[in-house]
């Protein structure tokens, strides 16, 4: 039987970390604004604090940012943008995270926009998704549109940008704190800029805001000789615990973490190293516990199409990438459900992901789930679990690397901090 323990509070005294993050953001903002061209004036305009805009700390019940898990009733969400999405340059970290059949695509189009007709369809799909979320009573906010094709240079590397399509990758909300992930791809180094107007607004209204240590992304962060040529190479390297990212400095994508109250689960992946996990562990302790889990996955990157928690003591586990610690969940009284094989056609382009985006769903609450309209098998699975399916087609948006969970960051869910993993 699943045991649930209610707790008080959920925020920690991390004011120093938040202040440092804000100071670093202000110091960089002037240089970054000169280095990029934004298609939105609000993305570049400074937003100084004034007497009319006091910064106050609110209790979780009235803070604009508050979420403890993946299934409490969703009240506000950030939905990403496909506009201006660019193919990342074909660097070693991108090669390690993409499938061989798409390597020629990256070699040819790296630094250029994704196929415009495809992006146009993805934009329309995500707009419809936003409309449906609003119809379901969820407030929707969006990042700023930015020209990601502009080349930038740091003391350690040169790159073009990618997109602001997947807020789940860069932002995670834990209690009334919003944490910016440092990321691990050079093409995503400045992705946070698209979200800063939103985050500053949440901060002014009482949310805590932390920016994790930004990696230099120097050559030492990557195994430049990472020997990946075939699927067999991927399996062998993953089994050995070898990844393209080293332990040179902390790095992580927020999408490698998934929340269940006081317990947060994470995988070491191609974009999240142990130093990044340790930073999160120390930052969130003692209120939250970080559990490292692993999978038989030849290409680990982001946990939510491999292991997706959809309710208290209820999780989806990818049968192609079984969890090595699955007994830990069963002993805790959890129900682990195996989702059906995805129905997405073989000829549909998935430049950055696998077909298992079918299980990358967004819970609107314990009894409502946003699921792909084309995936009838998983719709039936949810209905058998007593969960109503909210059907939306995002096939073209899938091609850019994410399902509903990836395309969103839940900013506020109505609930309390509890323990589901005793």
């Amino acid at each position: 039987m699943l045991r649930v323990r209610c707790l008080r509070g959920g925020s920690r005294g991390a004011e120093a970390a938040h202040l440092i993050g804000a100071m670093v953001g202000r110091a960089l903002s002037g240089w970054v604004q000169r280095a990029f061209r934004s298609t939105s004036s609000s993305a570049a305009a400074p937003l100084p604090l004034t007497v009319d805009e006091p910064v106050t700390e609110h209790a979780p019940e009235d803070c604009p940012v508050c979420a403890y898990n993946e299934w409490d009733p969703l009240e506000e969400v950030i939905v990403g943008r496909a506009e201006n999405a660019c193919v990342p340059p074909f660097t070693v970290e991108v090669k390690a995270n993409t499938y061989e059949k798409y390597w020629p695509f990256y070699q040819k189009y790296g630094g250029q926009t994704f196929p415009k007709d495809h992006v146009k369809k993805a934009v329309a799909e995500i707009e419809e998704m936003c409309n449906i979320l609003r119809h379901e009573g969820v407030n929707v906010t969006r990042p700023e549109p930015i020209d990601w094709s502009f080349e930038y240079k740091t003391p350690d590397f040169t790159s073009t940008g990618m997109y602001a399509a997947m807020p789940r990758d860069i932002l995670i909300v834990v209690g009334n704190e919003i944490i910016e992930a440092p990321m691990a791809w050079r093409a995503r180094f400045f992705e946070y800029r698209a979200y800063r107007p939103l985050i500053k607004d949440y901060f002014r209204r009482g949310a805590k805001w932390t920016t994790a240590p930004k990696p230099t992304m120097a050559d030492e962060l990557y195994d430049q000789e990472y020997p990946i040529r075939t699927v067999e190479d991927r399996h062998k390297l993953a089994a050995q615990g070898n990844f393209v990212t080293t332990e040179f400095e902390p790095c992580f994508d927020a999408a490698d973490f998934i929340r269940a109250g006081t317990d947060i689960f994470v995988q070491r992946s191609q974009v999240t190293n142990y130093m990044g996990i340790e930073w999160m562990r120390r930052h969130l302790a003692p209120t939250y516990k970080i559990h490292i889990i692993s999978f038989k996955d030849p290409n680990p990157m982001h946990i939510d199409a491999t292991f997706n928690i959809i309710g208290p003591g209820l999780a989806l586990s990818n049968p192609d990438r079984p969890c090595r610690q699955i007994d830990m969940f069963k002993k805790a009284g959890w129900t682990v459900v195996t989702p059906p094989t995805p129905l997405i056609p073989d000829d549909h382009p998935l430049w950055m992901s696998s077909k298992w985006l079918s299980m990358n769903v967004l819970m609107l609450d314990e009894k409502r789930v946003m699921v792909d309209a084309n995936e009838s098998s998983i719709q039936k699975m949810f209905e058998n679990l007593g969960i109503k399916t909210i059907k939306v087609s995002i096939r073209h948006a899938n091609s850019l690397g994410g399902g509903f969970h990836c395309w969103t960051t839940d900013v506020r869910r109505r609930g309390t901090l509890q323990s589901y993993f005793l």
Side-chain angles (χ1 to χ4, degrees), residues 122-281:
V123 169
E125 290 173 345
I126 298 304
E127 288 294 337
E128 179 62 11
M129 172 184 164
C130 291
N131 290 336
I132 292 173
L133 282 167
R134 295 184 186 103
H135 180 74
E136 293 294 324
V138 180
N139 187 48
V140 176
T141 61
R142 311 292 301 277
E144 296 293 312
I146 284 178
D147 179 3
W148 299 106
S149 67
F150 193 74
E151 186 176 87
Y152 51 84
K153 184 176 182 179
T154 79
D156 297 288
F157 67 90
T158 300
S159 183
T160 48
M162 197 165 104
Y163 55 32
M166 310 294 162
R168 186 75 55 176
D169 298 355
I170 191 170
L171 301 174
I172 182 170
V173 170
V174 181
N176 64 344
E177 177 180 11
I178 189 163
I179 300 172
E180 285 183 34
M183 312 300 284
W185 284 17
R186 289 170 167 174
R188 308 188 76 175
F189 189 87
F190 287 111
E191 193 166 316
Y192 69 88
R193 293 185 64 252
Y195 299 94
R196 279 295 173 87
L198 285 175
I199 297 172
K200 287 187 289 188
D201 177 62
Y202 291 135
F203 178 70
R204 289 191 175 101
R205 290 159 55 201
K208 291 189 175 183
W209 170 19
T210 298
T211 300
K214 196 69 174 173
T216 63
M217 297 191 187
D219 288 347
E220 291 87 346
L221 180 58
Y222 312 101
D223 181 353
Q224 300 293 335
E225 304 299 324
Y226 194 66
I228 184 168
R229 295 174 296 277
T230 65
V231 174
E232 289 73 23
D233 288 339
R234 290 180 185 274
H235 280 280
K236 182 179 178 180
L237 291 163
Q240 294 172 345
N242 292 330
F243 304 92
V244 71
T245 46
T246 68
E247 297 297 328
F248 174 69
E249 57 190 346
C251 67
F252 65 85
D253 281 12
D256 271 323
F257 294 81
I258 196 158
R259 305 154 303 168
T262 58
D263 297 279
I264 299 175
F265 302 92
V266 62
Q267 65 171 350
R268 204 310 184 184
S269 76
Q270 299 286 19
V271 294
T272 296
N273 63 12
Y274 288 119
M275 286 189 74
I277 294 171
E278 178 62 12
W279 184 89
M280 281 286 278
R281 186 191 69 78

Side-chain angles (χ1 to χ4, degrees), residues 50-83:
T50 69
V51 175
D52 296 327
E53 298 174 310
V55 176
T56 57
E57 183 172 341
H58 294 263
E61 59 269 16
D62 62 0
C63 180
V65 170
C66 191
Y68 298 109
N69 56 48
E70 309 289 337
W71 63 84
D72 277 341
L74 184 62
E75 296 182 340
E76 181 160 330
V77 69
I78 300 172
V79 178
R81 286 190 181 276
E83 289 89 339

